[in-house]
Amino acid sequence: MRKGTKIIQIAGFRGIMLVLFIGTCLAAGFIMFPAKVAMYLWNNIAAEYFMIPAINIWQGLLLWAGIALSFYIANGGNLLISFHEPAQLNEDEMRVLMERIRLQAQARRLNAMLMKADTLKEITKQNESEKTDTNKVSEDINEKKS
């Protein structure tokens, strides 16, 4: 069974607009902003310490892409986020899943029965304590009358 799989459903015009908005924000936050930072860092370091020409935003974007690609390759080519359609469960995974569902249903039934038994025990204990309290009160009343 695949653990941690999350499925996102996009429905209607509002969903498409939401995806476009999220995509734009992600592009601005993870592509354009780091590209601008790379450009400004390059230009400030180039102007102060070295005789290197300044770069524009597109060259900053290429610099950022090179840095990001280097980190990706150094990380072994693994990404934290992946987009794909989840595969169907095979027969063995389906059987294991159904067995877990059956076991959970049995556990729920047993827990409910135990809870009922515990509450019945508590009720009988309360009734017994009330009876003894009532008997003590009636004995006290009988002693006072005598």
Side-chain angles (χ1 to χ4, degrees):
M1 184 175 1
R2 288 154 187 84
K3 294 183 179 182
T5 303
K6 298 196 178 7
I7 299 172
I8 300 170
Q9 183 176 358
I10 301 167
F13 181 72
R14 182 176 175 207
I16 293 171
M17 292 305 292
L18 182 63
V19 167
L20 289 175
F21 175 74
I22 290 171
T24 303
C25 291
L26 287 173
F30 290 106
I31 296 172
M32 291 310 291
F33 177 74
K36 273 190 158 299
V37 169
M39 180 190 74
Y40 284 124
L41 285 175
W42 179 275
N43 288 340
N44 286 335
I45 292 172
E48 285 190 35
Y49 301 111
F50 305 106
M51 296 296 288
I52 301 174
I55 61 174
N56 62 21
I57 188 70
W58 298 112
Q59 292 164 333
L61 183 63
L62 288 173
L63 178 60
W64 167 242
I67 293 169
L69 189 59
S70 298
F71 277 113
Y72 174 74
I73 292 170
N75 194 24
N78 293 331
L79 288 177
L80 294 176
I81 300 173
S82 64
F83 297 99
H84 60 85
E85 183 178 333
Q88 297 294 324
L89 298 176
N90 61 27
E91 291 298 321
D92 293 333
E93 291 172 334
M94 187 63 78
R95 190 171 2 90
V96 169
L97 178 64
M98 294 306 289
E99 184 63 30
R100 285 181 65 189
I101 290 170
R102 275 190 225 106
L103 288 174
Q104 287 176 352
Q106 270 184 335
R108 267 190 239 113
R109 276 184 269 151
L110 288 173
N111 283 339
M113 288 174 23
L114 289 174
M115 293 299 289
K116 285 179 184 177
D118 287 342
T119 54
L120 286 175
K121 286 179 185 177
E122 288 177 19
I123 290 172
T124 54
K125 284 181 183 177
Q126 287 176 355
N127 287 343
E128 288 175 4
S129 65
E130 287 175 4
K131 285 179 184 177
T132 55
D133 290 342
T134 307
N135 289 340
K136 286 181 184 177
V137 169
S138 61
E139 288 174 2
D140 290 341
I141 293 173
N142 288 336
E143 287 178 6
K144 287 181 183 179
K145 287 182 182 179
S146 323

